[in-house]
């Protein structure tokens, strides 16, 4: 038996153990006793309901009156109400200006707010502290993301920068003094401080655009610099999120410019994201590793599959452009494993952060790290808040550092995020759906992925 | 399925670099004074009607090249030449005509970067808009060629024993094409190639502002092998050459895109029959628009602001499809207006050749003066919500937004063709629709809404040629979004659509009695 077969055996046995640890536990998203779980169940069994439901969720926070809510509930759901008994509670087919419609509108809004609260930790940094504390208490680290609307103007972009600065101030003043602030794993570079934020760069500059490349990088470097300076002051870590292929070159260039500057050359483990679904992901990772070596101080790389697949694939089709992304989900999974190895093999210039809910992908990373003699203080796992608690706990209880990506913000800007998460969870390709809803066989869930593109 | 020519993917750095390098080539040609436009009559270069310079609208100190104008005599020769060439060209197999039409597209495709660069400089379009202009021109060649192949074969209309009925199309004869400057390649090419592939001889009179671009089109047409007596190119002044061509009795058809005033004048003069005239002149005219975009109370304002800015300020509002009225429902009015004004204050205005430019200059001094005076008048009678700053030394006009605009005011009713928006609040969606429909034009319109019922309502009763929902209202693609309106927005059916070519042809029907002495061949 050759070495790689041995690793594969380890991955299988590791993966089975994780599934045993998860047991019958379900993430709240898939728990049918709650509204969200019911809605997810209906969405997965009735595609038409799914489209209408998610469009309703999307529009809801911008509706200003209960009559408007009642009208939209009718328009979106009256057809579905014939098949789905539970929808009656939502007042489908009531007269929009009736008293009952008013009452049920409040109920609808509350239900969606509850749904959002599963994925969004609070309206603002203060509001989120309670949840963040709870996470740390249960042995999970976090990185906080501020949900924002698209910045159409500089006024909005500057406001967004300010929100990051304010969040850092609040976190810096509160969190380090918690008893829960002490490192979850001693000596782990990601635990040198409990405070960590993730920044959506393109929203920091209203004219961020590939046609305005140079200026975009210049302006974003200034603004990311402001945030990094505040992070330095309060001792916080930063991840710069990846976005779509149009913005990513600007994001990568800005990241490199800021964290190689004299001021931030020593900034500890600045984080960047590599998306395995991109055909160019191996080059992107190589480029980032080369940057880290040149910088002389390590960086963190969050490896993800990528969250803009539908958006980019649709646009490529509309424009007749070759898609920059792999066409098959399984190819991204295979690429993810390839890049996981590159990351682990890259040595100490990088802190690998494996962002995924896929037990197979994570088991692979953990087993390969063990194979290469890298213990749990040399990498971490990252997952989304509210998506896969049982999986997070299963890994965390096995001694790995699990960091949750925790969005916070108001309902209105949060809705886009919520709808994306709901779509992700209910997609036919979703690992979580396969695991917790379709009850796929463990063997199938743990099968080694192949590059199909 | 028809496949549109792909735009350049400017998200890729190498593609931006290639475009920038090509703009340097264009600059070299400008410096070397090699860019020019000349009339082509009977396949020969001429131009004894004097010259005018073609100026860079982004910097009017720069002369891009010289335009030699056609003289009256040359226009006369063009009429004679095409009159005589029309018969042979019309008798050429439609398959052959379609093949040559595709070849014109090939020629444009081969030259597409340079053409886009020239459009940037001469029309003042930004990179992406210029590239789209070229792609649309290529699409017209491919699409109309395919349409001709579909329409060309003789159709047997009824199958009755002893009788054979067939219907087929014949070209109209000589078609004068009067092209606008705002899509200097695409529209000139679309009208010309539709007429040509249908079998008409064509005289193309380009807009004087963009003659250098049109000259490249003329060369692409003749280089493809379309006979010199089937196509004449006559750069010249509209009031002189254009008028002469329109009035001439040897002309069978006029295809025009431009202002309502000129369009109506063409229609009026085309109706006057002169001695020696063989046919009632057919006029196809794409005229203006006063296009409204409705923002519903429940709209996604991020998307609405983006759509409005793209639709109203893209190419400085100089598209017939551009948005010039925004109607906002209920409580969305103030937040939308606030965000729109803020967003407008930050958009990038500059020379068209600068990669980052979103809003470039207007086409010429006359346009600049006219739009500036519209704004000045507006400031007297309506409430200014926002007025930006514009660079000097080019024909720039600042993007401007008016609010609570009176429905009787010129700002609300007349086409401006510049970066100016008139906004108004409606109490509900029905009122918004009524406001949008209250216009003499009916070209494009848009709705940003998340109400399925209101979207359905708009589809039914927002009366425009091209309605766009939850997106920008410009940028129609050949075949995917056939383009054109009704009411005062023009006569004739949609460009880039399946009915377009029919306007350039006359259907003929032949009915033959095949029964002789009581016998007929079996059908």
């Amino acid at each position: 038996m050759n070495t790689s077969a041995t690793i594969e055996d380890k991955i299988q046995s590791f993966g089975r153990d994780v599934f045993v640890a998860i047991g019958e536990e379900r993430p709240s998203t898939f728990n049918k006793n709650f509204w969200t779980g019911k809605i997810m169940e209906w969405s997965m069994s009735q595609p038409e309901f799914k489209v209408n439901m998610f469009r309703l969720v999307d529009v809801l926070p911008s509706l200003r009156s209960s009559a408007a809510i009642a009208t939209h509930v009718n328009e979106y759901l009256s057809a579905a109400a014939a098949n789905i008994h539970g929808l009656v509670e939502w007042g489908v087919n009531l007269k929009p200006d009736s008293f009952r419609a008013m009452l049920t509108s409040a109920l609808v809004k509350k239900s969606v707010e509850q749904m959002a609260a599963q994925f969004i930790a609070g309206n603002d940094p203060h509001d989120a502290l309670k949840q963040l504390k709870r996470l740390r208490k249960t042995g999970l680290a976090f990185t906080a993301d501020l949900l924002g609307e698209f910045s159409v103007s500089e006024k909005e972009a500057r406001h967004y920068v300010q929100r990051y600065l304010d969040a850092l101030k609040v976190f810096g003043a509160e969190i380090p003094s918690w008893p829960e602030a002490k490192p979850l794993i001693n000596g782990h570079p990601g635990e040198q401080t409990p405070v960590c934020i993730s920044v959506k760069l393109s929203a920091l500059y209203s004219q961020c655009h590939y046609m305005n490349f140079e200026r975009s990088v210049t302006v974003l470097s200034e603004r990311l610099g402001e945030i990094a300076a505040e992070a330095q002051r309060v001792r916080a870590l930063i991840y710069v999120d990846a976005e779509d292929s149009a913005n990513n070159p600007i994001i990568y260039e800005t990241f490199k410019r800021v964290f190689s500057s004299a001021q931030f050359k020593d900034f500890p483990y600045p984080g960047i994201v590599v998306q395995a679904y991109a055909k160019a992901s191996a080059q992107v990772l190589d480029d980032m590793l080369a940057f880290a070596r040149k910088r002389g101080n390590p960086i963190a790389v969050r490896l993800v599959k990528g969250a803009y697949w539908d958006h980019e694939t649709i646009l490529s089709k509309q424009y007749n452009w070759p898609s920059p992304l792999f066409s098959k989900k399984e190819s991204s999974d295979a690429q993810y494993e390839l890049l996981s190895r590159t990351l682990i093999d890259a040595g100490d210039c990088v802190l690998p952060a494996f962002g995924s809910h896929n037990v197979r992908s994570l088991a692979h990373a953990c087993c390969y790290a063990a194979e290469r003699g890298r213990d749990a203080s040399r990498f971490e796992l990252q997952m989304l808040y509210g998506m896969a608690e049982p999986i997070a706990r299963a890994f965390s209880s096995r001694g790995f550092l699990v960091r949750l990506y925790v969005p916070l913000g108001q309902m209105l800007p949060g809705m886009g995020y919520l709808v994306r998460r709901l779509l992700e969870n209910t997609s036919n390709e979703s690992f979580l759906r396969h695991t917790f809803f379709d009850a796929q066989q463990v063997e199938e869930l743990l099968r080694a992925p192949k590059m199909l593109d | 399925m028809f496949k549109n020519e792909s735009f350049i993917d400017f998200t890729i750095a190498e593609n931006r670099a290639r475009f920038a390098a090509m703009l340097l080539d264009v600059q070299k040609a400008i410096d070397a004074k090699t860019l020019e436009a000349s009339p082509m009559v009977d396949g020969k270069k001429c131009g004894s009607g004097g010259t005018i310079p073609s100026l860079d609208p982004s910097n009017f100190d720069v002369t891009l090249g010289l335009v030699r104008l056609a003289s009256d005599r040359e226009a006369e020769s063009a009429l004679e030449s095409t009159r005589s060439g029309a018969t042979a060209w019309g008798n050429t197999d439609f398959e052959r005509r379609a093949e040559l039409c595709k070849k014109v597209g090939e020629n444009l495709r081969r030259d597409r970067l340079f053409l886009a660069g020239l459009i940037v400089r001469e029309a003042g379009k930004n990179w992406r808009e210029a590239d789209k202009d070229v792609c649309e021109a290529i699409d017209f060649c491919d699409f109309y060629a395919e349409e001709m192949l579909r329409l060309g074969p003789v159709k047997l209309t009824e199958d009755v024993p002893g009788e054979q009925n067939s219907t087929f199309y014949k070209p109209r004869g000589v078609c004068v094409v009067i092209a606008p400057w705002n899509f200097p390649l695409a529209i000139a090419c679309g009208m010309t190639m539709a007429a040509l592939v249908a079998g008409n001889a064509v005289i193309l009179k380009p807009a004087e502002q963009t003659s250098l671009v049109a000259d490249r089109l003329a060369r692409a047409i003749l280089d493809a092998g379309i006979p010199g007596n089937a196509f004449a190119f006559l750069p010249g002044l509209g009031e002189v050459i254009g008028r002469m061509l329109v009035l001439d009795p040897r002309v069978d058809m006029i295809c025009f895109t431009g202002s309502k005033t000129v369009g109506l004048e063409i229609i009026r003069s085309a109706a006057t029959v002169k001695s020696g005239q063989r046919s009632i002149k057919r006029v196809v005219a794409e005229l203006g628009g006063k296009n409204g975009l409705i923002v519903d109370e429940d709209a996604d304002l991020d998307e609405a602001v983006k759509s409005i800015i793209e639709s109203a300020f893209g190419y400085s509002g100089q598209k017939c499809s551009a948005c010039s009225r925004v109607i906002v429902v209920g409580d969305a009015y103030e937040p939308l207006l606030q965000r729109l004004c803020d967003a407008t204050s930050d958009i990038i205005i500059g020379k068209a050749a600068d990669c980052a430019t979103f809003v470039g200059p207007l086409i010429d001094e006359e346009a600049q003066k006219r739009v500036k005076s519209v704004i000045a008048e507006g400031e007297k009678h309506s409430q200014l919500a926002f007025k930006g700053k514009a660079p000097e030394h080019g024909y720039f006009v600042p993007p401007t937004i008016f609010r609570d605009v009176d429905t009787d005011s010129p700002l609300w009713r007349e086409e401006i063709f510049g970066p100016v928006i008139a906004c108004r609040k409606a109490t509900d969606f029905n009122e918004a629709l009524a406001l949008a429909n209250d216009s003499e034009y009916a070209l494009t319109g848009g709705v940003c809404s998340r109400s399925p019922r209101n979207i359905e309502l708009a589809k039914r009763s927002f009366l425009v040629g091209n309605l766009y929902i939850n997106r920008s209202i410009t940028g129609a693609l050949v075949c995917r979004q056939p383009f054109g309106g009704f009411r005062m927005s023009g006569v004739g059916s949609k460009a880039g659509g399946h009915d377009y070519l029919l306007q350039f042809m006359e259907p003929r029907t032949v009915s033959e009695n095949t029964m002789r002495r009581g016998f007929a061949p079996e059908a």
Side-chain angles (χ1 to χ4, degrees):
Chain A
M1 201 180 263
N2 61 34
T3 344
S4 70
T6 323
I7 292 185
E8 187 54 38
D9 291 344
K10 286 181 184 162
I11 295 169
Q12 294 299 326
S13 111
F14 185 108
R16 280 193 298 272
D17 289 352
V18 171
F19 278 114
V20 169
I22 292 168
E24 291 302 304
E25 207 189 338
R26 294 281 164 276
S28 34
T29 345
F30 289 93
N31 189 331
K32 291 169 197 170
N33 297 324
F34 294 106
W35 255 108
T36 314
K38 278 185 201 163
I39 284 169
M40 302 295 265
E41 187 189 354
W42 296 333
S43 298
M44 285 183 277
S45 51
Q46 302 187 35
E48 205 172 319
F49 169 78
K50 172 170 155 178
V51 171
N52 285 313
M53 183 67 219
F54 292 177
R55 286 184 175 183
L56 174 64
V57 167
D58 172 59
V59 70
L60 203 64
S62 62
L63 301 179
R64 296 167 180 85
S65 68
S66 57
I69 293 176
T71 307
H72 283 76
V73 168
N74 272 341
E75 290 179 21
Y76 279 107
L77 298 182
S78 59
N83 304 325
I84 300 176
H85 184 65
L87 282 177
V88 175
E89 291 176 42
W90 276 25
V92 173
N93 294 334
L94 290 180
K95 272 207 169 68
D97 46 5
S98 68
F99 181 65
R100 268 194 64 203
M102 224 172 85
L103 292 181
T104 48
S105 295
L107 172 73
V108 170
K109 194 146 189 169
K110 202 162 168 54
S111 302
V112 173
E113 272 165 7
Q114 275 172 10
M115 196 147 85
Q118 293 192 3
F119 300 97
I120 300 170
N123 286 328
D124 58 47
H126 272 293
D127 198 25
L129 287 171
K130 204 176 113 202
Q131 290 300 327
L132 298 178
K133 195 168 197 169
R134 184 184 63 84
L135 290 180
R136 292 223 40 111
K137 195 173 251 160
T138 55
L140 299 168
F142 69 83
T143 176
D145 157 63
L146 301 184
L147 295 169
E149 286 170 272
F150 181 83
S151 300
V152 299
S153 65
E154 284 303 275
K155 194 164 103 184
E156 292 175 12
R158 287 186 179 286
H159 176 69
Y160 195 47
V161 175
Q162 193 55 48
R163 279 178 60 208
Y164 270 106
L165 299 177
D166 293 346
L168 283 168
K169 277 195 191 77
V170 172
F171 292 161
E174 297 282 337
I175 297 173
S177 60
W178 294 349
E180 292 83 1
K182 67 174 191 323
L184 296 165
I185 293 179
N186 281 322
H188 193 294
E191 278 292 280
Q192 54 188 293
T193 162
V195 183
C196 177
I197 56 163
S198 286
V199 181
K200 190 192 172 203
L201 212 49
S202 71
L204 302 183
Y205 176 40
S206 65
Q207 307 302 310
C208 175
H209 198 276
Y210 50 88
M211 296 306 281
N212 187 27
F213 191 94
E214 268 315 310
R215 180 109 191 103
S216 297
V217 172
T218 306
V219 173
L220 289 176
S221 296
E222 283 166 24
R223 294 182 186 172
L224 179 59
E226 279 179 61
I227 293 170
E230 184 62 20
Q232 225 163 18
R233 201 183 63 79
V234 305
R235 295 200 63 240
L237 299 174
I238 293 182
Y239 276 91
V240 174
D241 285 345
E243 299 176 30
D244 62 5
S245 309
N247 278 328
N248 281 341
I250 295 173
I251 291 167
Y252 290 134
E253 188 60 30
T254 304
F255 175 81
K256 289 197 268 185
R257 198 171 292 182
V258 169
F259 293 108
S260 61
S261 68
Q263 193 182 358
F264 299 115
K265 215 170 159 34
D266 303 327
F267 193 98
Y269 293 89
I272 190 73
V273 179
V274 174
Q275 299 156 320
Y277 69 11
K279 289 175 186 161
S281 49
Q283 288 100 291
V284 171
L285 179 55
D286 286 346
D287 182 55
M288 277 303 154
L289 294 176
F291 167 74
R293 292 191 186 99
K294 201 171 131 213
R295 182 177 185 248
N297 282 315
I299 65 169
V301 171
R302 178 198 297 155
L303 181 63
V304 299
K305 305 274 167 71
Y308 295 79
W309 192 88
D310 291 278
H311 166 83
E312 297 216 31
T313 305
I314 289 170
L315 286 187
S316 305
K317 282 193 180 134
Q318 286 188 358
Y319 289 129
N320 285 325
W321 288 340
S323 172
L325 312 182
F326 292 122
S327 68
K328 301 273 188 320
K329 166 88 170 67
E330 191 173 338
S331 300
S332 310
D333 292 344
Q335 182 78 349
Y336 191 91
E337 297 196 358
L338 186 78
L339 300 187
S340 298
R341 294 175 181 225
T342 309
L343 265 175
I344 289 162
D345 288 339
D348 287 329
C349 71
V350 62
L351 170 67
F354 299 101
S356 176
H357 303 119
N358 185 316
V359 174
R360 158 77 206 189
S361 303
L362 297 177
H364 168 271
C366 294
C367 292
Y368 187 73
E371 184 79 11
R372 301 300 308 235
R374 298 178 78 80
D375 68 26
S377 71
R378 312 274 291 278
F379 65 97
E380 64 183 60
L381 310 178
Q382 298 193 356
M383 295 175 206
L384 297 174
Y385 177 75
M387 288 272 279
E389 308 93 324
I391 298 179
R393 275 193 286 276
F395 277 92
S396 146
S397 64
R398 294 173 71 89
F400 296 103
L401 181 67
V402 178
R403 185 185 301 280
L404 297 191
Y405 182 96
V406 183
L408 43 117
Q410 303 278 333
M411 270 275 268
L412 186 60
M415 253 339 101
Y417 177 84
L418 173 63
V419 171
R420 275 201 301 283
R421 296 291 86 86
L422 294 176
L423 286 170
E424 234 167 72
N425 272 321
T426 49
S427 126
N428 289 330
E429 308 267 24
S430 159
F431 184 87
L432 294 178
R433 173 180 173 163
H434 291 161
T435 308
F436 297 112
F437 184 76
D438 301 338
Q440 242 181 36
Q441 294 300 306
V442 167
E443 295 74 56
E444 180 55 22
L445 293 169
L446 290 177
R447 189 171 57 78
K450 288 193 200 68
M451 173 55 73
L452 300 174
D453 274 70
Chain B
M1 192 179 131
F2 180 75
K3 194 166 169 290
N4 295 86
E5 184 73 5
S6 309
F7 303 148
I8 296 173
D9 183 354
F10 282 115
T11 65
I12 296 170
E14 296 82 73
N15 288 343
R16 295 196 297 272
R18 276 201 306 145
F19 203 91
M22 181 277 314
L23 279 172
L24 289 181
D25 289 348
V26 175
Q27 183 58 49
K28 274 183 208 150
I30 294 165
D31 294 339
K33 301 190 190 321
T34 55
L35 296 177
E36 59 149 44
S38 307
M40 299 288 289
V41 175
D42 233 352
K44 288 187 259 333
K45 237 189 205 184
C46 52
S48 56
T51 60
I52 52 167
S54 178
L55 302 181
D56 183 346
S58 298
N59 178 0
F60 42 66
D61 289 342
V62 175
T63 296
L64 304 170
L66 285 185
V67 180
R68 294 206 269 160
L69 304 176
S71 63
D72 292 4
R73 203 162 38 77
E74 285 159 355
E76 172 61 30
S77 317
L79 285 159
E80 269 311 298
S81 157
T82 46
R83 176 79 273 158
S84 69
T87 312
W89 175 246
N91 285 332
T92 306
D93 289 346
F94 69 88
E95 290 98 338
R96 173 69 183 152
R97 296 199 309 257
E99 189 187 323
L100 291 175
C101 185
K102 283 207 169 173
K103 198 140 177 238
V104 174
E106 273 303 316
N107 289 346
L108 297 177
R109 191 178 281 121
R110 206 182 45 234
D111 215 14
R112 82 175 253 196
L113 268 190
F114 191 87
L115 285 165
L118 200 54
I119 292 170
V120 167
R121 296 303 298 269
E122 196 180 31
K125 284 199 178 189
N126 73 21
W127 294 19
R128 284 186 298 162
E129 303 269 9
D131 173 55
K132 287 178 183 178
D133 201 325
V134 182
C135 290
E136 190 178 353
I138 297 169
D139 283 347
F140 278 132
C141 295
D142 288 346
F143 180 70
Y144 292 144
E146 279 170 32
E147 282 294 287
M148 195 58 229
L149 293 176
R150 180 175 69 87
L151 295 168
V154 172
K155 292 182 183 53
L156 297 180
T157 41
E158 283 298 333
D159 185 19
V160 177
E163 181 181 284
Q164 195 189 53
N165 297 311
S166 57
T167 295
F168 52 92
Y169 295 103
K170 83 170 248 329
R172 290 181 178 273
V174 173
C175 176
V176 166
V177 170
I178 299 180
W181 48 261
N182 68 336
F183 285 83
L185 193 65
I187 296 184
C189 179
M191 295 194 297
T192 303
M193 294 318 299
L196 277 171
V197 80
N200 303 283
V202 171
I203 301 174
L204 167 61
K205 208 297 283 175
E208 49 263 40
Q209 295 93 332
T210 52
S211 298
L212 300 179
V213 172
D215 186 78
R216 296 269 158 169
L217 170 65
R219 283 193 236 173
I221 290 171
L222 291 168
D223 288 351
I226 287 173
N229 60 2
F231 174 72
F233 177 60
L234 289 187
L237 303 177
E239 307 87 82
V240 186
I241 294 289
R243 183 181 303 270
M244 178 178 162
L245 294 174
V246 166
L247 293 173
D248 197 276
R250 286 163 289 190
V251 170
D252 301 287
M253 178 173 185
I254 299 153
C255 197
F256 170 80
T257 299
S259 71
K260 185 186 89 178
T261 318
V262 177
L264 291 179
E265 199 184 307
I266 288 175
I267 291 167
R268 206 178 305 117
S269 54
T272 316
V273 178
K274 291 195 171 175
S275 80
Q277 186 169 332
R278 298 184 314 181
S279 55
I280 300 167
K281 285 181 194 167
R282 172 67 181 252
V283 180
V284 170
E286 286 280 347
L287 309 177
K290 184 71 190 174
N291 312 305
L293 198 155
I294 297 175
V295 181
D296 201 355
E297 199 160 21
D298 66 355
D300 180 334
L301 296 189
D302 284 5
E303 297 293 331
V305 169
K306 276 198 276 184
S307 300
I308 294 168
I309 287 194
E310 177 73 30
S311 309
F313 302 138
Y315 194 37
S316 305
Q318 302 175 105
K319 299 180 189 177
C320 358
S321 54
C323 162
S324 69
R325 301 194 293 177
V326 171
I327 301 155
V328 191
V329 179
D331 290 343
Y333 188 58
E334 293 302 335
L336 183 274
L337 209 59
Q338 181 65 54
R339 296 191 71 195
L340 178 62
C341 291
D342 289 344
T344 306
S345 73
D346 294 316
I347 56 182
I348 300 174
I349 308 172
K351 288 191 163 91
D354 293 343
C355 181
T357 292
F358 174 65
V359 175
L362 296 198
I363 188 68
D364 59 15
E365 193 178 0
E366 194 189 320
Q368 186 190 35
K369 274 193 181 143
R370 186 178 48 76
V371 176
K372 277 187 167 173
S373 86
V374 167
I375 295 172
E377 273 304 300
E379 285 184 61
K380 278 184 217 155
H381 305 290
S382 298
Q383 194 181 338
L384 184 69
F386 175 81
K387 186 174 163 186
K389 288 186 189 64
E392 313 238 315
H393 230 71
Y395 303 122
F396 294 95
V397 167
T400 306
I401 301 167
F402 290 96
R403 57 173 296 159
D404 311 337
V405 174
D406 194 24
T407 53
D408 295 329
S409 75
L411 274 183
W412 192 256
R413 309 217 75 91
E414 286 164 23
E415 183 173 46
I416 298 171
F417 232 58
V420 181
I421 309 177
C423 302
R424 216 183 142 75
K425 180 176 174 174
T427 48
D428 57 28
F429 194 76
N430 283 317
E431 191 194 327
L433 273 179
L435 280 168
N437 281 330
D438 179 23
S439 165
E440 60 175 352
Y441 296 106
L443 190 49
T444 70
V447 174
C448 292
S449 173
R450 286 183 284 190
S451 154
R453 195 189 68 100
N454 289 351
I455 289 173
E456 272 316 304
L457 193 60
K459 285 180 185 171
R460 261 201 322 274
S461 34
F462 196 158
L463 296 177
V464 290
N466 288 67
L467 179 65
Y468 297 93
I469 294 162
N470 288 327
R471 50 157 286 173
S472 66
I473 70 169
T474 58
L477 289 170
V478 170
C479 190
R480 250 155 79 180
Q481 293 113 9
F483 184 79
F486 46 93
R487 289 191 192 152
M488 287 295 161
S489 293
V491 282
S493 66
K494 287 168 170 298
H498 291 298
D499 306 323
Y500 193 69
L501 274 199
L502 295 175
Q503 311 173 104
F504 295 82
M505 303 186 282
E506 298 280 15
R508 291 183 60 212
T509 298
V510 175
S511 186
E512 181 181 356
N513 173 8
T514 55
M515 185 167 72
R516 294 194 195 162
R517 305 279 169 208
F519 290 99
E522 278 189 38

